[in-house]
Amino acid sequence: MTTHTLPGLVDVHVHLRVPGGEHKETVATGTAAALAGGVTAVLAMPNTSPPITDVVTLDAARAAHRDALCDVGLFLGATDSNAADAAAAAEGACGLKIYVNETFGPLRIEHLAALAAHFASWPRGRPIVLHAERVAVAAALGLAVTYGQRVHIAHVSRAEEVRLIADAKAAGLPVTCELTPHHLFLTEDDLPALGPFGVMRPPLATPADRDALWAHLDAVDCIATDHAPHTREEKLGDTPPPGVPGLETLLPLMLTAVHAGRLTLDRLVALTSTTPARLFGIRTPEESSVEVEIGPAWTLPERGYRTKPDWSPFAGMTVRGRVLATTLRGQMAYADGRVRAAPGSGRVLFG
Ligand SMILES: [Zn+2]
């Protein structure tokens, strides 16, 4: 067994469900899950109720996250009509999120003119994150070059997508991307066992897609969870909503990959902490770290998570990594299986 001290993780893709989805997750449960997973800063997505689309909804959401246990940045969401409002609110947000493909919630851009308006209006150099699948990745690249913006492609899941992004980077295009642990560790072959608990967007892909993600890890900038909690009852209903929790299983899974020699610990730190912090302009909090253990095998449980729905698509998997303790600004925030951070230990970032 070896223990290591790493910088606190920055997870650039998390759904805290606040406001409007507090039966799925609250600021308290979501940020507790983050600290238990070694994550000291999360960037929260805007597909809430109401969605975060302008300075009024952003300010309300910022106030609602005041008691966060870890640092939180908030995304603005793009709609077909809010390009000017989103740009005007940019200072208080960690970036603009544009949904080009189907997702959970009401935010989805259907019209090219609206996409172009956002790319033209959004402050240059501030992050634009796209949920773009398949051919929409190419559209995002074209918009970036056309308008002098940098784009970040969320949760890349298919071989054709990661190959295009690798080629675009080699050609010098201003694109970065993230992968999720569920697309690295699960495939459509797991769907019969997972049932509705394996339903997500983008959907679980083929084993060949998964292998291509691992093979192109050099072209990837971040690993982000896309932590997207829904209750067990919702998942077992007639139309299970897409999304799975992931904050507490990110490091156990990725440290297992380190143990297996699939990537180095230094590379994992770059993917989960230093590069996401740099891309999104986040100063990692001083005196913040996560102590991890690599080696002993243990099984991810069915229950016992801090995330409110308390289930995991990875339950039953044998892993070889564990978070022992998380420190935030010199305070013990998580240790011995207990979250110790006080409400308000985290900061609402930007603005
Ligand atoms: Zn998401």
Side-chain angles (χ1 to χ4, degrees):
M1 175 189 92
T2 41
T3 61
H4 303 266
T5 303
L6 318 177
L9 272 59
V10 176
D11 189 343
V12 302
H13 194 144
V14 164
H15 298 265
L16 290 182
R17 305 295 189 209
V18 175
E22 289 84 353
H23 66 289
K24 300 174 191 283
E25 192 79 286
T26 65
V27 172
T29 57
T31 56
L35 290 174
V39 176
T40 51
V42 296
L43 301 187
M45 287 297 163
N47 58 334
T48 48
S49 306
I52 300 170
T53 55
D54 57 18
V55 73
V56 173
T57 46
L58 179 62
D59 282 349
R62 290 177 62 87
H65 287 77
R66 220 170 13 212
D67 287 341
L69 305 181
C70 70
D71 289 359
V72 179
L74 295 164
F75 279 99
L76 283 157
T79 73
D80 276 328
S81 59
N82 77 333
D85 289 343
E91 213 168 275
C94 58
L96 177 69
K97 177 71 183 286
I98 304 179
Y99 292 89
V100 186
N101 296 98
E102 188 108 7
T103 188
F104 174 75
L107 291 174
R108 184 181 169 189
I109 295 251
E110 306 265 5
H111 302 290
L112 176 58
L115 272 175
H118 278 288
F119 273 82
S121 307
W122 185 249
R124 296 297 178 280
R126 298 297 314 282
I128 298 178
V129 177
L130 289 108
H131 178 154
E133 298 181 44
R134 299 188 186 276
V135 75
V137 177
L141 295 173
L143 287 160
V145 172
T146 303
Y147 291 98
Q149 298 278 18
R150 182 165 68 80
V151 289
H152 178 84
I153 310 298
H155 43 49
V156 174
S157 64
R158 297 180 183 89
E160 61 190 22
E161 296 162 355
V162 78
R163 285 191 192 119
L164 176 61
I165 291 166
D167 287 349
K169 285 186 153 198
L173 268 62
V175 58
T176 57
C177 73
E178 78 200 22
L179 306 183
T180 69
H182 45 262
H183 291 118
L184 285 170
F185 286 88
L186 300 172
T187 69
E188 59 189 17
D189 291 352
D190 297 299
L191 278 172
L194 286 171
F197 296 98
V199 171
M200 60 190 76
R201 298 283 180 278
L204 290 175
T206 65
D209 287 315
R210 175 203 56 200
D211 293 347
L213 299 185
W214 283 105
H216 288 83
L217 210 52
D218 284 353
V220 172
D221 302 276
C222 309
I223 292 175
T225 60
D226 193 7
H227 175 85
H230 298 287
T231 67
R232 286 174 190 264
E233 293 69 30
E234 288 169 328
K235 279 298 206 181
L236 292 168
D238 289 340
T239 49
V244 298
L247 277 166
E248 292 159 89
T249 44
L250 165 67
L251 270 176
L253 291 165
M254 293 311 301
L255 291 170
T256 303
V258 171
H259 184 263
R262 304 188 83 171
L263 78 168
T264 65
L265 193 57
D266 283 351
R267 182 70 180 129
L268 179 60
V269 168
L271 286 164
T272 56
S273 183
T274 42
T275 303
R278 177 170 51 79
L279 290 179
F280 287 86
I282 293 164
R283 206 175 319 127
T284 39
E286 65 282 1
E287 291 185 67
S288 300
S289 60
V290 51
E291 194 185 333
V292 301
E293 169 189 275
I294 306 176
W298 64 291
T299 302
L300 292 171
E302 294 287 340
R303 289 176 191 268
Y305 300 96
R306 286 93 196 151
T307 183
K308 194 166 184 179
D310 196 14
W311 58 270
S312 168
F314 305 107
M317 282 180 64
T318 299
V319 290
R320 290 182 164 273
R322 187 193 291 271
V323 175
L324 299 177
T326 307
T327 303
L328 178 61
R329 294 191 180 86
Q331 302 287 318
M332 189 57 76
Y334 170 79
D336 304 323
R338 273 188 50 224
V339 175
R340 295 151 180 253
S345 302
R347 294 184 184 158
V348 182
L349 305 170
F350 304 95

